[in-house]
Amino acid sequence: MRPQILLLITSLAVLLLSAIAAADDAADSPVGPPEPIKDVHDPQVQFLAQVAVNSYNLEHRRYLILKEVVGGETQETRKFINYLLHIVVNQTSSLCYRTMIRDRKKGPRYREFEFFESEICQA
């Protein structure tokens, strides 16, 4: 096979794969504004907060315990519901954290742990 044909086929394959990746990113863009969580005691919210704490503990070899969810907001995308949660844990150096969990809306249950970072406690 000639090198020009091989180069053309490779270029087309790269172009096709990058177009698929761009379409997938666009399909997961927000579909509405962030909305405050009305009931922080909702079992789904409590469960996702516990998932965030457990994920953080596994990644950082810590033993934080969730005390309470004090607030948060959700934002829908086409594939996920993003939960930004403000939580309190049992740690002396910093009690308050914010964390984000992405919960898949359809198909098999799947959650992505995005971040877990310290913040100033809200009054």
Side-chain angles (χ1 to χ4, degrees), residues 17 47 50 52 55 57 65 70 74 88 105 116 120:
L17 290 174
F47 176 75
Q50 192 61 57
S55 297
N57 285 340
I65 297 173
V70 293
T74 61
V88 177
K105 295 192 321 190
F116 194 96
I120 296 173

Side-chain angles (χ1 to χ4, degrees), residues 1-14:
M1 185 180 289
R2 287 202 229 160
Q4 295 88 352
I5 294 175
L6 186 59
L7 182 61
L8 177 64
I9 291 171
T10 304
S11 298
L12 289 174
V14 168

Side-chain angles (χ1 to χ4, degrees), residues 55-94:
S55 297
Y56 178 82
N57 285 340
L58 286 173
E59 283 184 19
H60 296 89
R61 296 182 183 182
R62 303 288 300 272
Y63 190 68
L64 300 180
I65 297 173
L66 176 67
K67 284 182 142 182
E68 69 177 312
V69 179
V70 293
E73 56 188 41
T74 61
Q75 184 169 30
E76 282 198 47
T77 66
R78 289 191 182 8
K79 295 180 181 179
F80 291 91
I81 299 175
N82 297 330
Y83 288 82
L84 177 64
L85 303 175
H86 302 280
I87 62 174
V88 177
V89 298
N90 70 328
Q91 185 178 357
T92 55
S93 62
S94 177

Side-chain angles (χ1 to χ4, degrees), residues 5 12 18-19 27 29 32 34 49 52 68 71 74 92 94-95 97 100 102-103 105 107 110 112 117:
I5 294 175
L12 289 174
S18 63
S29 59
E68 69 177 312
T74 61
T92 55
S94 177
L95 296 175
Y97 287 85
M100 180 176 280
R102 303 182 79 206
D103 191 19
K105 295 192 321 190
Y110 175 75
E112 287 181 13
E117 55 193 29

